[in-house]
Amino acid sequence: MLTAMEMRQIERSGLEPRRDKLDAYGPEALFREAWRDTCEVLGGDLAEVLPRIAVLTLKPDAIVSRRGAQCLDFLTRAGFRLLGARPFTMNRLLMHEIWRYQWNCATLDKSRLFDLMFAGRRCLALYLLDERPEGGHRGARRLSALKGPADAARRAPHHLRTSIGMRNPMLSFVHTPDEPIDVVRELGLMLDGPTRRRWLRRLRTPTGDLENAVLLTLRELEARTPAHDLDPHEVLARRLGASSLSDWGWSGLDDVRRALGPARSPQAAWDLITLAAEVVTPHLAGVAPRLPGPPGLRAAQ
């Protein structure tokens, strides 16, 4: 649990985290380690710097479908300075830890589909500093709002997910922590201590906009990742000579797997993911996540 000193540090920080998140994250040793490092590295600048920090992770579906450059352009135009990028390999344990407080309402079919989509695949974490705060919204909070809901019916033209052409909530392309306390938690989950402190020092004393360096890192990652456009109509026509999903009567992942056969290549694996994302039921009826998303986005996280 958070110690009395750690609670006082959080209360004095001015971050105003949600109480339900503090109750949930408090017992997590990795969160407490990350909070300690954040306090030590940012020091007296914590209340000024941490609310301006944002992190956006390009998920494997964004990498394979080549949405990364569009995301970088959106972030720059929105007033976020790119301070670095870190490629990493997702695994199923990290995937379940990041969204630990949402998996309780997921179907097992969604869990299995996300294993296929994430486990062993490369992602790219972008570290950002907000240079255009809007009132009380800055950093992670502002980027979370700009990202937009996963539900296309609830998105607006100015949202990132609209800009990059997201249409299926199962293929959402990007992940962002919703507020500063979530940034700290994910720094604990994704980085070891020395790496975390190195990134925090870079965020505290930025040396410039590294947009070109970040773009080069993205291009190198894409060069090692076969492309796939994630278009279900193209996959249906190419693999099954069909034009409509409804003709197949699929109800879940196993139906799609049987129709397509073994996925023995990267393209075949993404064919399976693309079609399964159209038919898998994501949520258990009547079950709410243990930690809902921010107001306005909760129905679509």
Side-chain angles (χ1 to χ4, degrees):
M1 297 296 293
L2 288 167
T3 66
M5 183 181 72
E6 290 165 339
M7 284 298 299
R8 285 195 298 271
Q9 288 172 328
I10 292 172
E11 290 166 358
R12 293 170 183 170
S13 69
L15 300 178
E16 299 181 350
R18 282 171 33 189
R19 183 69 208 196
D20 58 346
K21 288 187 177 180
L22 280 184
D23 291 342
Y25 301 167
E28 297 182 8
L30 293 180
F31 168 75
R32 294 178 58 213
E33 287 182 5
W35 177 250
R36 178 202 59 197
D37 288 345
T38 302
C39 291
E40 290 180 356
V41 174
L42 299 185
D45 295 329
L46 186 146
E48 173 57 30
V49 175
L50 184 55
R52 294 178 60 201
I53 294 173
V55 182
L56 183 139
T57 297
L58 298 175
K59 298 178 182 179
D61 48 335
I63 302 298
V64 76
S65 64
R66 305 301 191 253
R67 257 83 173 182
Q70 293 173 271
C71 290
L72 296 184
D73 179 65
F74 179 96
L75 293 167
T76 300
R77 288 187 288 105
F80 289 91
R81 194 196 319 183
L82 293 157
L83 297 182
R86 187 183 68 88
F88 67 97
T89 300
M90 184 67 78
N91 60 64
R92 68 188 308 268
L93 292 179
L94 178 57
M95 176 187 77
H96 280 270
E97 275 299 306
I98 293 172
W99 294 286
R100 169 190 279 204
Y101 300 101
Q102 288 76 45
W103 278 111
N104 66 293
C105 63
T107 63
L108 292 180
D109 236 14
K110 177 180 178 178
S111 179
R112 294 166 63 217
L113 175 59
F114 273 46
D115 279 351
L116 292 173
M117 193 188 310
F118 282 95
R121 300 190 188 278
R122 299 289 276 171
C123 301
L124 187 66
L126 306 175
Y127 295 93
L128 312 159
L129 197 66
D130 189 355
E131 297 195 315
R132 199 185 302 164
E134 299 175 356
H137 289 279
R138 51 183 176 160
R141 285 190 172 100
R142 188 166 79 88
L143 183 55
S144 178
L146 281 173
K147 176 182 63 176
D151 180 2
R154 302 176 61 244
R155 287 202 305 270
H158 72 275
H159 285 135
L160 169 59
R161 282 170 164 164
T162 301
S163 176
I164 61 177
M166 179 199 148
R167 58 165 204 86
N168 186 321
M170 300 288 277
L171 300 170
S172 59
F173 300 135
V174 296
H175 166 68
T176 62
D178 293 325
E179 59 175 297
I181 208 73
D182 300 316
V183 171
V184 173
R185 179 176 184 267
E186 293 191 16
L187 290 175
L189 292 177
M190 294 186 177
L191 304 176
D192 61 34
T195 305
R196 180 168 56 246
R197 289 189 289 272
R198 184 167 63 249
W199 278 106
L200 285 166
R201 285 192 290 270
R202 182 181 295 185
L203 292 165
R204 182 183 186 182
T205 55
T207 57
D209 191 323
L210 301 179
E211 182 177 358
N212 289 335
V214 170
L215 183 59
L216 178 60
T217 301
L218 171 65
R219 294 305 189 206
E220 291 173 347
L221 182 56
E222 289 178 342
R224 297 192 294 271
T225 307
H228 195 292
D229 61 12
L230 307 180
D231 181 348
H233 301 292
E234 186 278 329
V235 175
L236 271 176
R238 173 168 48 81
R239 295 293 302 275
L240 301 173
S243 60
S244 174
L245 278 167
S246 60
D247 294 341
W248 293 85
W250 293 329
S251 61
L253 175 62
D254 288 337
D255 291 336
V256 181
R257 197 193 300 270
R258 280 190 290 269
L260 294 183
R264 295 195 174 100
S265 69
Q267 183 185 52
W270 282 105
D271 287 347
L272 171 61
I273 291 166
T274 299
L275 293 185
E278 298 292 318
V279 300
V280 163
T281 299
H283 300 125
L284 298 169
V287 180
R290 292 165 62 192
L291 282 180
L297 295 180
R298 292 182 179 179
Q301 291 298 302

